[in-house]
Amino acid sequence: MTRGARKEGLSRRHRFVGRGSFAATLRGPRKLRSPAMLLHVAPGHPGASRLGLMAPKRFARRAVVRNRLKRIVREAFRRHAVKAAGVDLVLAVRQPFSRADEAAWLTQLDELLGRAAEGR
């Protein structure tokens, strides 16, 4: 794939890079909660939000399930207005994830991203 061909992905400016890079976001005071997930929010660079994900094995035992969850979250983030809001986000999973619950997860995630974009 050529360098300019990838139009719909998360560029480096929208990802945390390096070990421990989202530790400051986790220590921040702002947390948005839903039954299935916890979204840590911190001020970031203007114009480009960054996303980090924590999907522990105890909530998604198989790597296939964890990777699917991450793909779903990244896609929701990529299409949401919060991507341009200039905030750092770290999503922590709080309940087991399954394909049957996917629609409910997307609804909760969209609500959390909306609240993060609005600043409430």
Side-chain angles (χ1 to χ4, degrees):
M1 184 184 305
T2 61
R3 189 167 176 84
R6 185 176 166 187
K7 300 285 186 211
E8 293 189 3
L10 284 184
S11 64
R12 265 192 181 269
R13 70 183 192 156
H14 293 292
R15 291 181 280 169
F16 287 96
V17 181
R19 183 180 174 110
S21 59
F22 54 74
T25 305
L26 293 175
R27 284 192 303 266
R30 190 159 174 232
K31 296 168 182 56
L32 304 174
R33 291 172 177 81
S34 78
M37 56 195 86
L38 173 66
L39 185 65
H40 299 265
V41 182
H45 301 290
S49 295
R50 295 188 299 172
L51 176 69
L53 301 167
M54 295 188 313
K57 284 184 180 179
R58 74 177 171 198
F59 295 130
R61 212 63 185 136
R62 300 183 60 199
V64 173
V65 176
R66 287 192 306 276
N67 290 338
R68 176 157 181 81
L69 172 64
K70 290 176 185 179
R71 280 195 307 272
I72 289 168
V73 171
R74 286 185 190 120
E75 183 65 16
F77 172 78
R78 187 183 66 77
R79 294 178 182 267
H80 201 279
V82 75
K83 185 176 176 184
V87 294
D88 288 346
L89 307 168
V90 176
L91 184 81
V93 176
R94 296 173 65 188
Q95 283 185 352
F97 174 78
S98 68
R99 282 188 82 139
D101 301 333
E102 198 170 299
W105 275 70
L106 282 172
T107 303
Q108 290 179 34
L109 179 60
D110 192 49
E111 178 194 336
L112 290 178
L113 291 176
R115 287 171 48 198
E118 292 171 3
R120 4 176 227 137

